[in-house]
Amino acid sequence: MTIAPLRLRLDSEALCDNWRLLDRMSGRAACGAAVKANGYGLGASAVSARLAASGCRDFFVATWAEAEALAPLGLSVSVLHGVRYEDMGVARSGIARPVLNSSQQVARWREAGDGPCDVMVDTGMNRLGVDPLDVTAGLLDGLVIETLHSHLACADEDVEMNARQRDALAALCGRSSARRLSLANSAGIALGIDYAFDLTRPGLALYGGRQRAGHAQIRQVVTPEAQVLQRRTVPRGACVGYNATWKAPCDSEVAILNLGYADGYFRGFSNRGAVIAQGLRLPVIGRVSMDLIAVLVDAAPTVAEGDWLALDYDLPAAAAVSGMSQYELITGLGDRFERMWTG
Ligand SMILES: *Cc1c(COP(=O)(O)O)cnc(C)c1O
C-alpha cells in the first residue's frame, strides 16, 4: 500500500461550529449547506455527514453526478443546474430535487409528471434562473415547488444591488406554490436578517472562508501539510527554483517540500507564501513548481528530511497573498492529498 505524499487536515469541530454560527445568524430561517464541487474540495460525503449530524437538513450540489455520490446518505439534496435532457432518467429516480432554471427546464419537468422541485429566479445576476415576470405571468402555476431561490451577485460588497435583489425575490412571495424562499449565500447571511427569508445556502464560510465583518468568528477548517524531501545549504549568491527568482543574500538553509501548483498550491504563492513550523512563519522562496516548493528554514535548525510541515492557509490572508479567490484555494486542492478529519 502506498502512503499518500500529502495530507489535508480537516477540522470537524470547526466545520460544525461554522455551520452552527451561520445557522444562528440565519435567525428563524433554516440553514442549509452548499456541498457542490466535492464539498468545495474537502469531500462532499464527509462534509455532508458531519453537517447532517449537527442538524443541517438541506444540501446543494451542482450536478446529478454529485447528487448520486451523496445518495447513500439519504439526505434532502437539490441540484443547482436543474435538469438537462440527459438528466431526466436519474432526476425521475427521486434521489434529489432539480432547481429548475429556465422555462425549458420547467416544461421538461412538467412533461415528466409532477414530482417536487425547486426553482431559481434571476433577480439581476443574469446567470441561471427564470424571469420574475414569467413567474407573475403564471409560468410556475400548478408545479409542486419546495423552495423558490434566487442568488446574490455582490453579497461580499456593500452595493445597492443587494437590496434590489432582496426586494425582487420578496415580491414573488405567494406567486407560486413554493413553501419556502431562499436567497443568501455565506456573504448574504452576513448582510442581515432581512436576507435570510426561509432558508440560507452557505458554502464558503462553512469551510473557513471569511468575506465580511460578520464572519469574524468563522474558524479555519482546512490545513494542507507537505513533507520535506530534502534539506540543503544554498551558498550566498546562488539561486533557487525556476527562472532563478530567489537569490541567497547569505549562506541559507532551504527545505524542499513535495507540494506544487498541480496540488492547488498556486504559482501566486511564489516568494510570498509561508509554512508554519515550530511556531515560526517560514517563507516560501522562489517559484512554486508543479510538484515542489522551497522554504527558507534558517530559523528552524531542526527541520529535517521526512518532517511534515503545515502551510499557512488562513483563507482571507492566503487569498490576498496569492491573488487567488478563497473559493479557488479550497476547490483546487488536488487528489494527491489524503483527507484526514480530526476533532
Ligand atoms: C455556490 C452557491 C452557494 C454558496 O455560495 P457561497 O458564496 O460559497 O456561500 C449558494 N447558492 C448558490 C446558487 C450557489 O451556486
Side-chain angles (χ1 to χ4, degrees):
M1 203 190 76
T2 56
I3 295 172
L6 296 168
R7 297 171 179 164
L8 206 55
R9 292 259 175 226
L10 299 166
D11 187 334
S12 269
E13 208 170 81
L15 173 77
C16 295
D17 280 355
N18 291 343
W19 181 79
R20 283 186 282 264
L21 175 65
L22 294 160
D23 186 43
R24 281 197 301 280
M25 291 170 70
S26 300
R28 294 170 62 165
C31 182
V35 295
K36 59 198 181 187
N38 195 27
Y40 285 46
L42 282 62
S45 295
V47 164
S48 301
R50 283 168 175 79
L51 294 180
S54 299
C56 182
R57 292 292 170 263
D58 300 273
F59 296 84
F60 297 90
V61 296
T63 70
W64 287 92
E66 292 175 353
E68 278 184 313
L70 290 183
L73 298 179
L75 305 170
S76 170
V77 175
S78 298
V79 178
L80 291 164
H81 288 187
V83 275
R84 301 172 305 164
Y85 171 77
E86 296 91 326
D87 298 322
M88 285 307 292
V90 60
R92 292 172 78 163
S93 75
I95 59 165
R97 287 193 306 276
V99 181
L100 304 176
N101 286 301
S102 67
S103 42
Q104 288 91 332
Q105 290 194 355
V106 169
R108 194 174 289 134
W109 194 244
R110 276 189 199 282
E111 248 168 62
D114 58 358
C117 60
D118 289 0
V119 174
M120 174 70 65
V121 285
D122 173 40
T123 53
M125 190 177 187
N126 282 297
R127 198 174 65 170
L128 292 177
V130 301
D131 190 322
L133 291 174
D134 290 341
V135 175
T136 45
L139 174 71
L140 307 178
D141 290 0
L143 272 186
V144 180
I145 303 172
E146 168 63 26
T147 306
L148 187 67
H149 299 270
S150 193
H151 190 52
L152 294 164
C154 314
D156 55 344
E157 298 178 278
D158 290 311
V159 292
E160 180 248 344
M161 186 170 174
N162 291 324
R164 256 192 288 136
Q165 290 195 270
R166 176 199 62 197
D167 297 346
L169 180 64
L172 295 178
C173 186
R175 294 306 193 109
S176 73
S177 69
R179 204 169 64 79
R180 303 188 290 184
L181 298 182
S182 176
L183 177 64
N185 58 359
S186 300
I189 292 171
L191 283 177
I193 202 65
D194 49 331
Y195 287 80
F197 290 90
D198 304 305
L199 168 67
T200 58
R201 307 184 307 266
L204 184 72
L206 293 170
Y207 312 115
R210 301 193 302 279
Q211 299 163 299
R212 302 192 63 95
H215 294 149
Q217 289 176 60
I218 289 289
R219 296 171 55 191
Q220 181 170 344
V221 176
V222 181
T223 308
E225 291 182 356
Q227 207 171 11
V228 177
L229 293 180
Q230 186 175 111
R231 181 180 173 119
R232 62 167 61 240
T233 303
V234 176
R236 185 168 74 89
C239 299
V240 170
Y242 281 119
N243 306 105
T245 64
W246 188 86
K247 193 170 172 183
C250 55
D251 290 357
S252 299
E253 290 293 297
V254 174
I256 308 300
L257 275 59
N258 59 345
L259 169 82
Y261 60 76
D263 303 298
Y265 193 72
F266 297 111
R267 238 172 67 134
F269 287 109
S270 300
N271 287 307
R272 306 194 57 159
V275 154
I276 307 287
Q278 302 163 4
L280 299 165
R281 195 170 182 284
L282 305 171
V284 169
I285 56 173
R287 201 153 263 180
V288 173
S289 298
M290 185 183 296
D291 320 294
L292 296 166
I293 56 171
V295 174
L296 188 65
V297 292
D298 282 332
T302 63
V303 163
E305 189 172 320
D307 285 1
W308 286 91
L309 303 181
L311 276 295
D312 187 359
Y313 223 65
D314 173 69
L315 288 178
V321 155
S322 65
M324 306 298 284
S325 72
Q326 298 181 56
Y327 298 87
E328 290 163 299
L329 290 184
I330 50 174
T331 59
L333 293 166
D335 52 18
R336 289 196 286 210
F337 286 100
E338 181 182 359
R339 284 155 169 77
M340 302 174 89
W341 288 90
T342 54

